[in-house]
Amino acid sequence: MGQHRVVIVGGGFAGLAAARALGGEAVAVTLIDRRNFHLFQPLLYQVATGGLSPADICAPIRTVLRRHKNVRTILAEVTGFDLAGGRVLLADGAVEYDSLIVAAGARHHYFGNDSWEPLAPGLKSIEDATAIRRKILWAFERAEREPDPDQRRAWLTFVVVGGGPTGVELAGALGEIANDTLRDDFRSFRPEEARILLLDAGEQILSSFPASLGAAAERDLLRLGVRCLHQRSVTAVDASGVSVRNGDRLDRIETRTVIWAAGVKASPLAASLAAAAGLAVDRAGRIPVTASCTVPEFPSVFALGDMAACAGDEGKLLPGTAPVAMQQGRYAARVVLDRLANRPPPPFRYQDRGNLATIGRHSAVADIRGHHATGLLAWFLWLFIHLLFLVGFQNRLQVFLHWAFQYTTFNRNARLITTNALNPPQCSANE
Amino acid sequence: MGQHRVVIVGGGFAGLAAARALGGEAVAVTLIDRRNFHLFQPLLYQVATGGLSPADICAPIRTVLRRHKNVRTILAEVTGFDLAGGRVLLADGAVEYDSLIVAAGARHHYFGNDSWEPLAPGLKSIEDATAIRRKILWAFERAEREPDPDQRRAWLTFVVVGGGPTGVELAGALGEIANDTLRDDFRSFRPEEARILLLDAGEQILSSFPASLGAAAERDLLRLGVRCLHQRSVTAVDASGVSVRNGDRLDRIETRTVIWAAGVKASPLAASLAAAAGLAVDRAGRIPVTASCTVPEFPSVFALGDMAACAGDEGKLLPGTAPVAMQQGRYAARVVLDRLANRPPPPFRYQDRGNLATIGRHSAVADIRGHHATGLLAWFLWLFIHLLFLVGFQNRLQVFLHWAFQYTTFNRNARLITTNALNPPQCSANE
């Protein structure tokens, strides 16, 4: 006993990177998650559109960490933090720590309109993805049996709100479904009659990219049948459609399928941790952190990933991406070990390796330290980098081959409407 | 129009075989199912034990039938039959037929103890499989955090009720999980401490096989850590365990995980169809049929597969298996076409190609027209025959390669506890 106890909350990119970096070291690590699997979120849109199965982008946390005998995984719900007592509070107990790493992620954000969530689900969890998959497939099924042309048009209209990478990837995959996957599947309409609209609040989709790449992505989307509508903001979502502010006008779009990709908000655990430390969270619910990724005044408590407001080199907050989370996770592990060895740890420096978004199966846009790429070249880059990220997985060969296989044959076999197919899908979390 | 209208209820093995046999013929076919996918039931136990994903053993019905332009698929719930009016009644309408093929399958059967279902789920649907998967994985997770040895032992005790092929396959897969898959995953117990009990009512498991093969299967199971208990009948199931009659004694087994594989009962649509025809169903809820697989007095109405009581060559009822269903489906299609061509159709003759059950990943038992095989040879036979069955699938190459791959690498990646992992899994149909 007497070993330094590190407790990690969350088995996402940050938490898992920290746990792996601490594996085999002379510390006793406990990783707490309320799910038994790690989710590879960048490919979640593929599950939402029936291209991959949930298990394809999930890895049991225990399996990822099985070789690290000093790491224990427990499935439990964290309810709060006792920073003075050095304890993480669970729904059914508590765990003591010497160092604490909290990386509980984020959920989607409706900016005060939480009542829209059942009508316009977001995409953050496996349950979200299968709920959206159900909603999309159900719309095509309903259209097949709908005699009224206006109603049918509403069932065949898909609205994606938010022109960031998630919205662009979802809209692109929807375009592929309509143009390729479902071709020949229906008898009363042609799937390419589907209307896919991407509503963006700004002047350009993918606003984190240079303007030329946003324009390239928009051209690619158009080829897949996706229309981008700029400077639109949603003012209402109801069962029959969405109301959209378009300059001075208020437009109405009749649709049965709205998908929300317009914003994220940190896990409520960010606010719990902030409250325990006497701090306030920012508008996106994130907790402020120091240059060492720790909670101010609590040097042994780290907050990482999407739930932390961490300033980058130019003082701009780092984006909520997997590379940021993974680098922070490895960094936090290093700080813990450095301190135990009485080595002064350096501050956190994010290595920006670039920015990528994929549009459908054959195209992407890439901005790698100022070098731009589009089309197939960028897509291969996207594929290569996503496989690099996977290298930490126990079964990387299996995952790699399976994905390569899915990508080349690709007819979206995971098109299951589960739960009772005949109840119009509410986007409650079942699946 | 004026084309002969064939309505098929059910997209299982029988219904799909009939639809494919009628594809391209001069008849207008409507296939009605309440799910959008065909389920390859023989591998359902692999989903229940985390070896395969739901989408691996499901194929969207529309995709399977996409090339047959005379076949229309609708997603709808059948509520009854108007045989005088020639109509199938739906929850939201009706469909007229000239010939009707009903093949709605079966569910599990608790012999009057339906209250056991939430505690001892059966394995018939994808939702059943993911509920059982959740229950099994949850038990290991709970055992990891349980300090009391008796409680832990109850969490690590798994009871499979029923020594038929489904029970044997499930118990074998459970043995593999405990002995191979989860090795090294837990810290407070060794997974091989798990106790897996297969309760069988008779003298021999796999009672439809010769005694020597049942004994071979039992030896294989024992090697995987599964104990078979014979002449046991369950008298009660509750939250803390099962009560079992053992001769004159009443035994008590403390367990948190009971899986029901002891019997099946025909879909309620068998009773609806029987009532519409003025007939009674048998004890297993099946409707009696003629030598042409039709409902007595209604020559244009076929009842096929697990929901029909169809006599074989020696007057014994045919078993509820995929080969019977597929042969009946093709036969019904042939009868419809023969009649339209004024050819007298022959009576139905079942071609028994043998009987197979698999035990774990490297062994099986086979009884092929009196030739017996066990062990690895039988297992390869099982694999080969299951792939033959799949030949009808659009993407047989993809499915084949994927399965071959899963089988060779096999570390049961689909180990997801979905829905809220922290609510002890009730086996309601969500997933």
mmCIF file of all heavy atoms in Angstrom, chain B residues 41-56:
data_model
loop_
_atom_site.group_PDB
_atom_site.id
_atom_site.type_symbol
_atom_site.label_atom_id
_atom_site.label_comp_id
_atom_site.label_asym_id
_atom_site.label_seq_id
_atom_site.Cartn_x
_atom_site.Cartn_y
_atom_site.Cartn_z
ATOM 1 N N GLN B 41 -31.594 -15.856 -37.131
ATOM 2 C CA GLN B 41 -31.746 -16.327 -35.755
ATOM 3 C C GLN B 41 -30.709 -17.344 -35.280
ATOM 4 O O GLN B 41 -30.338 -17.327 -34.102
ATOM 5 C CB GLN B 41 -33.147 -16.892 -35.543
ATOM 6 C CG GLN B 41 -34.183 -15.821 -35.324
ATOM 7 C CD GLN B 41 -35.497 -16.384 -34.799
ATOM 8 O OE1 GLN B 41 -35.648 -17.588 -34.633
ATOM 9 N NE2 GLN B 41 -36.447 -15.507 -34.552
ATOM 10 N N PRO B 42 -30.211 -18.244 -36.157
ATOM 11 C CA PRO B 42 -29.274 -19.247 -35.620
ATOM 12 C C PRO B 42 -28.023 -18.653 -34.963
ATOM 13 O O PRO B 42 -27.364 -19.348 -34.196
ATOM 14 C CB PRO B 42 -28.901 -20.068 -36.863
ATOM 15 C CG PRO B 42 -30.074 -19.933 -37.765
ATOM 16 C CD PRO B 42 -30.590 -18.536 -37.539
ATOM 17 N N LEU B 43 -27.692 -17.421 -35.269
ATOM 18 C CA LEU B 43 -26.507 -16.829 -34.636
ATOM 19 C C LEU B 43 -26.861 -15.775 -33.583
ATOM 20 O O LEU B 43 -25.998 -15.030 -33.126
ATOM 21 C CB LEU B 43 -25.578 -16.236 -35.692
ATOM 22 C CG LEU B 43 -24.793 -17.292 -36.476
ATOM 23 C CD1 LEU B 43 -24.088 -16.686 -37.670
ATOM 24 C CD2 LEU B 43 -23.774 -17.985 -35.571
ATOM 25 N N LEU B 44 -28.123 -15.747 -33.184
ATOM 26 C CA LEU B 44 -28.555 -14.771 -32.190
ATOM 27 C C LEU B 44 -27.782 -14.933 -30.877
ATOM 28 O O LEU B 44 -27.480 -13.955 -30.193
ATOM 29 C CB LEU B 44 -30.057 -14.957 -31.959
ATOM 30 C CG LEU B 44 -30.875 -13.823 -31.402
ATOM 31 C CD1 LEU B 44 -30.589 -12.508 -32.107
ATOM 32 C CD2 LEU B 44 -32.352 -14.164 -31.525
ATOM 33 N N TYR B 45 -27.442 -16.178 -30.541
ATOM 34 C CA TYR B 45 -26.711 -16.382 -29.278
ATOM 35 C C TYR B 45 -25.351 -15.702 -29.305
ATOM 36 O O TYR B 45 -24.806 -15.367 -28.261
ATOM 37 C CB TYR B 45 -26.572 -17.892 -28.984
ATOM 38 C CG TYR B 45 -25.463 -18.565 -29.742
ATOM 39 C CD1 TYR B 45 -24.221 -18.777 -29.166
ATOM 40 C CD2 TYR B 45 -25.647 -18.965 -31.061
ATOM 41 C CE1 TYR B 45 -23.185 -19.365 -29.875
ATOM 42 C CE2 TYR B 45 -24.630 -19.558 -31.778
ATOM 43 C CZ TYR B 45 -23.404 -19.758 -31.176
ATOM 44 O OH TYR B 45 -22.382 -20.324 -31.879
ATOM 45 N N GLN B 46 -24.793 -15.477 -30.501
ATOM 46 C CA GLN B 46 -23.520 -14.774 -30.611
ATOM 47 C C GLN B 46 -23.674 -13.297 -30.245
ATOM 48 O O GLN B 46 -22.748 -12.682 -29.728
ATOM 49 C CB GLN B 46 -22.975 -14.874 -32.040
ATOM 50 C CG GLN B 46 -22.421 -16.229 -32.399
ATOM 51 C CD GLN B 46 -21.033 -16.437 -31.833
ATOM 52 O OE1 GLN B 46 -20.494 -15.564 -31.153
ATOM 53 N NE2 GLN B 46 -20.457 -17.592 -32.095
ATOM 54 N N VAL B 47 -24.823 -12.729 -30.566
ATOM 55 C CA VAL B 47 -25.075 -11.337 -30.181
ATOM 56 C C VAL B 47 -25.302 -11.269 -28.670
ATOM 57 O O VAL B 47 -24.794 -10.376 -27.991
ATOM 58 C CB VAL B 47 -26.277 -10.770 -30.955
ATOM 59 C CG1 VAL B 47 -26.640 -9.374 -30.435
ATOM 60 C CG2 VAL B 47 -25.970 -10.709 -32.443
ATOM 61 N N ALA B 48 -26.031 -12.248 -28.146
ATOM 62 C CA ALA B 48 -26.319 -12.259 -26.708
ATOM 63 C C ALA B 48 -25.049 -12.384 -25.888
ATOM 64 O O ALA B 48 -25.013 -11.978 -24.730
ATOM 65 C CB ALA B 48 -27.274 -13.403 -26.371
ATOM 66 N N THR B 49 -23.986 -12.933 -26.482
ATOM 67 C CA THR B 49 -22.755 -13.130 -25.732
ATOM 68 C C THR B 49 -21.634 -12.228 -26.235
ATOM 69 O O THR B 49 -20.462 -12.451 -25.926
ATOM 70 C CB THR B 49 -22.327 -14.615 -25.786
ATOM 71 O OG1 THR B 49 -22.308 -15.047 -27.148
ATOM 72 C CG2 THR B 49 -23.307 -15.479 -25.032
ATOM 73 N N GLY B 50 -21.985 -11.194 -27.009
ATOM 74 C CA GLY B 50 -21.018 -10.159 -27.347
ATOM 75 C C GLY B 50 -20.044 -10.509 -28.459
ATOM 76 O O GLY B 50 -19.084 -9.782 -28.692
ATOM 77 N N GLY B 51 -20.262 -11.599 -29.164
ATOM 78 C CA GLY B 51 -19.338 -11.980 -30.222
ATOM 79 C C GLY B 51 -19.612 -11.268 -31.536
ATOM 80 O O GLY B 51 -18.702 -10.996 -32.309
ATOM 81 N N LEU B 52 -20.871 -10.999 -31.800
ATOM 82 C CA LEU B 52 -21.248 -10.315 -33.027
ATOM 83 C C LEU B 52 -22.142 -9.135 -32.685
ATOM 84 O O LEU B 52 -22.812 -9.124 -31.654
ATOM 85 C CB LEU B 52 -22.002 -11.267 -33.973
ATOM 86 C CG LEU B 52 -21.203 -12.443 -34.565
ATOM 87 C CD1 LEU B 52 -22.126 -13.391 -35.313
ATOM 88 C CD2 LEU B 52 -20.114 -11.934 -35.504
ATOM 89 N N SER B 53 -22.161 -8.146 -33.572
ATOM 90 C CA SER B 53 -23.053 -7.006 -33.412
ATOM 91 C C SER B 53 -24.406 -7.331 -34.019
ATOM 92 O O SER B 53 -24.496 -8.145 -34.944
ATOM 93 C CB SER B 53 -22.491 -5.795 -34.152
ATOM 94 O OG SER B 53 -21.534 -5.146 -33.372
ATOM 95 N N PRO B 54 -25.464 -6.665 -33.531
ATOM 96 C CA PRO B 54 -26.772 -6.907 -34.132
ATOM 97 C C PRO B 54 -26.758 -6.824 -35.656
ATOM 98 O O PRO B 54 -27.291 -7.699 -36.335
ATOM 99 C CB PRO B 54 -27.642 -5.804 -33.515
ATOM 100 C CG PRO B 54 -27.054 -5.605 -32.160
ATOM 101 C CD PRO B 54 -25.568 -5.779 -32.357
ATOM 102 N N ALA B 55 -26.101 -5.804 -36.206
ATOM 103 C CA ALA B 55 -26.152 -5.650 -37.662
ATOM 104 C C ALA B 55 -25.442 -6.783 -38.388
ATOM 105 O O ALA B 55 -25.692 -7.011 -39.570
ATOM 106 C CB ALA B 55 -25.544 -4.303 -38.068
ATOM 107 N N ASP B 56 -24.558 -7.520 -37.700
ATOM 108 C CA ASP B 56 -23.859 -8.612 -38.367
ATOM 109 C C ASP B 56 -24.794 -9.749 -38.743
ATOM 110 O O ASP B 56 -24.509 -10.511 -39.661
ATOM 111 C CB ASP B 56 -22.761 -9.183 -37.451
ATOM 112 C CG ASP B 56 -21.677 -8.168 -37.151
ATOM 113 O OD1 ASP B 56 -21.482 -7.253 -37.966
ATOM 114 O OD2 ASP B 56 -21.031 -8.291 -36.103
#
